[in-house]
Amino acid sequence: MLVALKIKRFDPERKPAAWWSNYKLEAAPGDRVLDLLVRAKDELDGSLTFRRSCAHGICGSDAMRINGTNRLACKTLVRELGSRITVEPLLGMRVEKDLVVDMEPFLASYRSVKPYLINDEPLPADGRERRQSPAERLRFDDTTKCILCGCCTAACPVFWADGEYVGPAAIVQAHRFLFDSRDRGAGEHTAALLDMKGVWRCRTIFQCTLSCPREIKITQAIAEVKQAIVLGK
Amino acid sequence: MTQVHTFDAIIIGAGGAGLMAALHAERGTNVAVISKMYPTRSHTGTAQGGVAAPLGNMEEDRWEWYMYDTVKGGDYLVDQDAAEILARESVDAVLELEHWGLPFDRTEDGRIEQRRFGGHTRDFGKSPVMRSCKSADRTGHMILQTLYQNCIRRGIRFFDEFFVLDLILEDGIARGVAAVEIATGQTHLFLAKAVLLATGGFGRMFAVTSNAHSLSGDLVASVFRRGLPLEDMEFFQFHPTGIYKMGILLSEAARGEGGIMINGLGERFMERYAPTLLDLAPRDIISRSIDQEIRAGRGVDGKDYVYLDIRPETINRCQSAPGGKTVTAAQLEAKLPDIIEMMRVYQGIDPMKAPVPIQPTAHYAMGGIPTDCDGRVLGGSLSPVPGLFAAGECACVSVHGANRLGTNSLVDLLVFGRRSGRAMAEFCAGASPADPVAHAAEEALAELARLQRSRGPERVGALRAAMQHCMTDKVGLNRTAGGMEEALSILRDLKERYRHLGLADAGQKWNTEVLEAYELGCLLDLAEATTASALHRTESRGAHFREDFPKRDDANWLHHTLAFRAGSSGAGPVSEGIRFDRRPVSITTFQPEARVY
């Protein structure tokens, strides 16, 4: 099938304002949007710029806005979209060039929840694993799936209105440790979530949940983090 | 103006090996990690099925059995001193990850749960053993996240999205690297007492591959161009179960949980080729079996693929689940969530209801930069290159020999990442501070500038596709002298055409086009080294199968191949011919035997 691919472009070295490029490409229904971007770059315009790596939905490099929704280009197939495909950079993040946005503020929010296991108790004397039951492990399974792609945070209207908001991805990461039975650092993970930039800015809009390519129940995770803070977990 | 940074140690690559080394080198050593992507994008994150360690949590297991499996799996080209270290230290490495927070799956009594994997057996080959420690089918993701989280905790310094062009060697001593900051185009010089290369694989030389776009072996090519040897480049693993045409990996865990493969006649064809381990035989044997089925006309509909079948009714009918237990769709969905989703998304098939088309996919380089058991890179005389270390897929210790067992890539990067990090810290403690260098990276920077100015008729994408198809067709599962000689001639022609590239992007910021061109040059050099090494080895062993020499030949070939670029200089791909030397195999415990599964 012939696909009309429309891509929002921006290159401050060439023009001060953004513009649109339109390409016509022969595509198969099973092609990934990423395959089309690679072909457009290889065959039509070498200056087209985007991040990509694993190409099968795990590394989180190629989050972008595809037909109005935040998705991974490598996990979105032509057959889901039809013959008109519009690709733009994620919203709410500074565009560096074409589909590449500045992820550093997003990653700074991620780091602010101290995203690592905090437990300074002595390890088991035999040097073996800390015990954790299957039920305890399951408690935080959903939020371990996060690949830090940015789809959720860049889909959040609260984040669009105020980039200082820590955003859903950071709260997901806090959840992953707060509900790990081995973790003892609840207060440290939530310290960055308590003020006006934190978890209380969430307005339960569900945009994050809808846009997560890993299908993490993000809104639910945020609610559980709020509850943990209130109940002083 | 090039910006200059000075550290005790720099690590190139932020996958499992690089991060493990950083965490073990960091105390007392001023370390920086340089990566062309954000660390969590690294390819370690895509590893699925698990990481081996004879914890014995499910059933009896011993490191000696694991060492034996690794040696036999590698068709006796494994260095047994290294395999012993791998098998013994895997336990400690896995437990360290658990202590650092990795969310392993758990047994009812709270221990790390384990599963079966290809080629891993009890009692020296008697039957499959549950040795793979895992987190569903996203174990690599959990390893990468856990390691990076701990790097954040320790405040390790990162330079993300810096593309390293070239290693700086002066008088045979590693002095640092030259890099480009991708966002700005600014050039940077990193000077250090010690440099660790942990850049992963280079599977993008093939058309059908499980490898990420980024896996172009830039620093492996740099080492080769600097006159240092590459070891065992002819051994490239083709994983049996790649998604048809796309190459995306479907983990061996699918078969560990009971999945089987069937041909176009509906036969469980592995009964013919590996009567004991069946669908859990090592990857080289299964991939070649698939190829034989296809070439005998027994592919599905006579085409070039077979089926992977993980339907619960199939598994239950064949009693192929661990212990012959009955499985349900819900249990399989919990154990293999990501690959089941991949089959649904990319193949449009519900694997609980229908089998899925698969074909072998280029997956892993057993060969690479030769090192000792502490990551020290070995030069032409097999003596260490002062200050230069390598670990992970880019290195060749060699614990994988002619064929790597499933899960052993992760064990390799943990065990040898850790050892090389420690060795590097020790080296730095005794080394004088990094000095300024006289002619740092002028060649690499000149090559990059040349590429960026090039306005010739050739396109990066077209040359890359030609290389990839050449390698898959002529240097893939089945190799012949004639085919590989043709491949060498095609590759040399592509290198000539590479001199006449035309690039569109004249900018400095985020110029990924020029970097892709540079990567292509690296891949062309490595493709040539791979092909020439494969042509050189006139026997079949592990993943390297020669139709014209179908038998293993221990009398003449029980040694590692070392490939050198004949004339060594420059930072771009050239065809100066390749000369060969050999490295003996360490055989301490297990004498080579016929390899039967």
Side-chain angles (χ1 to χ4, degrees), chain B residues 491-557:
Chain B
L491 292 170
R492 285 169 185 158
D493 178 54
L494 289 172
K495 286 189 181 187
E496 179 51 36
R497 291 168 64 191
Y498 183 84
R499 309 309 297 171
H500 309 288
L501 283 173
L503 270 56
D505 195 337
Q508 293 299 309
K509 295 179 178 177
W510 270 102
N511 188 334
T512 55
E513 187 185 30
V514 71
L515 298 178
E516 285 187 21
Y518 196 87
E519 290 175 329
L520 172 63
C522 296
L523 283 171
L524 283 168
D525 269 348
L526 298 180
E528 187 181 3
T530 300
T531 307
S533 299
L535 183 61
H536 180 65
R537 183 177 285 268
T538 51
E539 66 154 355
S540 290
R541 183 185 296 272
H544 171 64
F545 183 73
R546 293 275 307 247
E547 275 182 61
D548 42 0
F549 298 94
K551 294 241 168 2
R552 194 174 86 190
D553 177 3
D554 288 337
N556 292 301
W557 288 105

Side-chain angles (χ1 to χ4, degrees), chain A residues 11-14 30 32 34-35 38 41-61 74-77 79-80 96-97 100-101 103-104 106-107 110-111 115-120 123-124 126-134 137 140-141 144-150 173 176-177 180 182 213-215, chain B residues 37-38 40-43 45-46 48 54-57 91 95 97-112 135-136 138 141-142 145-146 148-150 152-153 160-161 183 204 210-215 246 248-249 338 341-342 344-348 459-462 464 504-513 516 519:
Chain A
D11 181 356
E13 288 181 286
R14 286 161 75 184
R32 295 160 279 203
L34 179 62
D35 296 326
V38 168
K41 183 175 180 70
D42 281 353
E43 297 165 18
L44 302 170
D45 181 356
S47 72
L48 176 64
T49 302
F50 49 91
R51 290 188 179 100
R52 85 285 180 269
S53 190
C54 82
H56 64 281
I58 303 295
C59 80
S61 297
C74 63
K75 212 177 169 180
T76 308
L77 304 189
R79 75 163 74 95
E80 304 169 55
E96 295 192 12
K97 184 175 172 181
V100 174
V101 295
M103 296 290 283
E104 180 44 36
F106 169 85
L107 297 164
Y110 157 64
R111 293 190 299 268
Y116 40 80
L117 190 88
I118 298 174
N119 183 335
D120 296 327
L123 293 168
D126 61 1
R128 300 287 295 200
E129 60 266 58
R130 291 192 185 93
R131 300 294 181 98
Q132 182 171 56
S133 73
R137 169 65 181 79
F140 64 103
D141 186 62
T144 63
K145 298 187 313 201
C146 174
I147 56 174
L148 298 169
C149 65
Q173 291 290 334
R176 178 254 171 273
F177 293 99
D180 186 332
R182 301 169 296 173
R214 303 289 285 156
E215 296 180 8
Chain B
M37 295 177 298
Y38 185 68
T40 63
R41 315 297 182 215
S42 305
H43 204 55
T46 66
Q48 296 168 349
L55 298 179
N57 283 357
V91 171
L95 292 172
L97 288 179
E98 196 284 327
H99 298 155
W100 285 347
L102 195 138
F104 283 109
D105 291 345
R106 300 289 174 156
T107 61
E108 284 307 317
D109 64 350
R111 296 179 185 278
I112 295 171
S135 186
R138 45 180 84 110
H141 166 77
M142 300 303 183
Q145 296 286 329
T146 301
Y148 185 57
Q149 289 157 3
N150 280 274
I152 294 176
R153 180 173 203 182
D160 301 330
E161 297 183 327
R204 278 280 152 179
S210 64
N211 279 205
H213 283 279
S214 51
L215 290 171
M246 299 182 94
I248 296 172
L249 194 71
D338 280 5
E341 187 195 25
M342 284 173 204
R344 288 181 178 138
V345 169
Y346 296 110
Q347 301 182 282
R459 300 201 72 102
V460 173
R464 187 172 50 216
D505 195 337
Q508 293 299 309
K509 295 179 178 177
W510 270 102
N511 188 334
T512 55
E513 187 185 30
E516 285 187 21
E519 290 175 329

Side-chain angles (χ1 to χ4, degrees), chain B residues 66-198:
Chain B
Y66 176 26
M67 176 184 168
Y68 170 79
D69 291 337
T70 298
V71 170
K72 182 180 172 187
D75 218 347
Y76 296 91
L77 199 66
V78 170
D79 287 311
Q80 297 186 14
D81 54 345
E84 179 171 342
I85 290 171
L86 180 93
R88 283 174 175 270
E89 296 185 10
S90 61
V91 171
D92 203 38
V94 163
L95 292 172
E96 179 170 61
L97 288 179
E98 196 284 327
H99 298 155
W100 285 347
L102 195 138
F104 283 109
D105 291 345
R106 300 289 174 156
T107 61
E108 284 307 317
D109 64 350
R111 296 179 185 278
I112 295 171
E113 189 175 69
Q114 299 179 275
R115 70 154 62 106
R116 306 183 307 177
F117 234 76
H120 291 276
T121 70
R122 56 176 293 108
D123 206 6
F124 308 104
K126 295 269 164 44
S127 59
V129 73
M130 289 190 259
R131 183 179 289 149
S132 170
C133 311
K134 40 90 185 186
S135 186
D137 57 356
R138 45 180 84 110
T139 313
H141 166 77
M142 300 303 183
I143 290 178
L144 186 63
Q145 296 286 329
T146 301
L147 292 177
Y148 185 57
Q149 289 157 3
N150 280 274
C151 288
I152 294 176
R153 180 173 203 182
R154 301 261 201 92
I156 287 172
R157 182 82 188 272
F158 281 86
F159 292 85
D160 301 330
E161 297 183 327
F162 276 60
F163 187 104
V164 175
L165 297 161
D166 204 6
L167 172 69
I168 301 166
L169 273 181
E170 256 189 10
D171 305 324
I173 299 171
R175 305 296 301 278
V177 296
V180 177
E181 185 176 4
I182 300 174
T184 60
Q186 164 81 47
T187 53
H188 292 252
L189 206 55
F190 292 87
L191 302 178
K193 299 175 189 174
V195 178
L196 172 74
L197 307 177

